[in-house]
Amino acid sequence: MSFVEYGDTIKDGDTAIVFLGHESMFPVKVQHGTVTQTKYGVIRHSTDLIGKKYGSKVTCSKGGWVFILHPTPELWTMNLPHRTQILYSTDISIITMMLELKPGSIVCESGTGSGSLSHALIRTVAPTGHLYTVEFHQQRAEKAQEEFREHGVEHLVTVTNQDVCKNGFGVSNIADAVFLDIPSPWEAIGHAKSALKAEGGRICSFSPCIEQVQRTCLAMEEYGFTEINTLEILLRVYNVRTISLQIPDLGKAAEDNSSAGFDSSNPSNQGSPCANLQQGTVQFKSGVPLREMVGHTGYLTFATKS
C-alpha cells in the first residue's frame, strides 16, 4: 500500500479507510489478529480485510456493513489524527496549482504539522520529485516520519527537525517551490530564497492574520521577490432542495395572458409549475446555501523569485 500508488488488495500493515458514510469514516492500520469496533459490529482484520480488494463491502458482526477504501491524500486530510491545525482541500488545491507543481518538482515545506499538505505535495511531485519538510517540534517531526514510512512514501520525503527561521531548509538552489506555514514567515523569507532555484521559483506563505501578511509581503519585497499577491479562498456549499414560492400578483393583464396561454385540461401541462396556479404557490428545485459554513481559514500569499 502506498499513498502515491494504488494497490488492488488489502495487505497486513496497510493503512485503510473504513467508510461508514460521507460524514463518518476513520483510518485503521490493518494487522493480522486485530479487530476494529464499529457501530455496526466488529471487523476482524484477518478474515474480513486481509486479502480482500479495496472498495469491498464488508459485513460487520451485527449485520451492518462498511466499505474499505484505499487511502488518498484527500481521505487522509479528512481522517488524520490532528497534532496541529491543518490545511484542507480548498486551500491545498490552490496551493499546488499556484506553486506550479508537477511530477519531478522539488518542494520545501515548513512546518510539517499533522502532514495534511505534505501528503498532497508528495502525491503531486511523485514519482521523481522530492519534498523537504522542516518541523520545529521534535515529537511531531518523529510522528510525521513514522507516518510517511507506514504510508509507503518515505523515499519521496526528507523530514528535518530544526528551526527554519534560524537554520533554513538544509538545501540550497534546488527547490522549485517553497511553502511556509509558521507563526513568523517573514523571518524565513531569506532562507526560502536560498533554497529556491536560481530564478523562477515560487513561494507561498499561509497566515491567518492580515498583520502577518503585511510583514511577509514587506520581507518578500526586501529580498527581491516579484508578482506578490494574496488570496483568500472561501468555500460556499449549496444544498439542492425543493422550495415553494408564492406566485406574484402581476395584475389583470397578466392573468388574462396566463389563462390564454395555458390549458389545464391538456395532460402535458399537468406537471408544469402553472398547474399550481390555483394554490397560489409554485414549487421548483433550487440551490440553497448552508446556514452555517466554514468561513475564514487563512490568507495565501504567493510570489516569484526574480
Side-chain angles (χ1 to χ4, degrees), residues 7-21:
D8 190 49
T9 58
I10 305 170
K11 299 180 177 62
D12 189 14
D14 282 3
T15 298
I17 305 297
V18 180
F19 181 89
L20 292 81

Side-chain angles (χ1 to χ4, degrees), residues 34-160:
T34 303
V35 298
T36 297
Q37 295 283 349
T38 74
K39 63 181 180 180
Y40 299 128
V42 172
I43 300 174
R44 295 174 175 81
H45 293 202
S46 300
T47 57
D48 297 333
L49 299 184
I50 297 176
K52 299 289 182 66
K53 288 188 176 183
Y54 278 107
S56 296
K57 183 178 179 180
V58 174
T59 302
C60 304
S61 60
K62 293 182 180 178
W65 48 267
V66 299
F67 288 104
I68 308 299
L69 305 181
H70 191 284
T72 64
E74 291 79 12
L75 288 174
W76 185 245
T77 290
M78 298 170 63
N79 294 282
L80 58 78
H82 286 230
R83 300 182 289 273
T84 60
Q85 293 279 355
I86 70 170
L87 290 175
Y88 291 92
S89 297
T90 306
D91 288 313
I92 291 173
S93 59
I94 197 71
I95 290 169
T96 55
M97 184 190 77
M98 294 293 287
L99 289 182
E100 302 174 2
L101 301 182
K102 59 186 181 299
S105 295
I106 306 296
V107 186
C108 292
E109 174 198 27
S110 183
T112 312
S114 301
S116 173
L117 176 64
S118 303
H119 283 81
L121 294 177
I122 292 169
R123 196 262 308 274
T124 303
V125 304
T128 56
H130 201 83
L131 171 66
Y132 294 90
T133 183
V134 178
E135 173 56 53
F136 175 78
H137 193 275
Q138 182 179 354
Q139 284 73 28
R140 287 201 293 262
E142 292 173 352
K143 184 61 178 177
Q145 181 70 65
E146 178 186 340
E147 288 177 348
F148 293 143
R149 183 169 55 253
E150 292 178 352
H151 299 165
V153 296
E154 62 176 336
H155 61 292
L156 296 169
V157 57
T158 299
V159 181
T160 306

Side-chain angles (χ1 to χ4, degrees), residues 214-286:
Q214 292 170 331
R215 296 189 65 174
T216 302
C217 290
L218 290 174
M220 288 179 175
E221 287 184 340
E222 180 182 346
Y223 281 96
F225 283 89
T226 60
E227 299 178 339
I228 302 172
N229 64 87
T230 299
L231 309 176
E232 182 183 21
I233 311 301
L234 301 177
L235 178 66
R236 192 174 191 189
V237 180
Y238 281 78
N239 278 340
V240 178
R241 63 178 64 175
T242 301
I243 64 174
S244 298
L245 291 178
Q246 285 189 330
I247 298 174
D249 183 4
L250 301 178
K252 188 174 186 306
E255 293 177 2
D256 293 341
N257 292 337
S258 175
S259 59
F262 177 75
D263 182 5
S264 59
S265 62
N266 188 342
S268 63
N269 290 327
Q270 295 300 317
S272 68
C274 295
N276 294 320
L277 285 173
Q278 293 182 350
Q279 286 74 32
T281 62
V282 61
Q283 291 185 333
F284 57 93
K285 295 286 186 181
S286 179

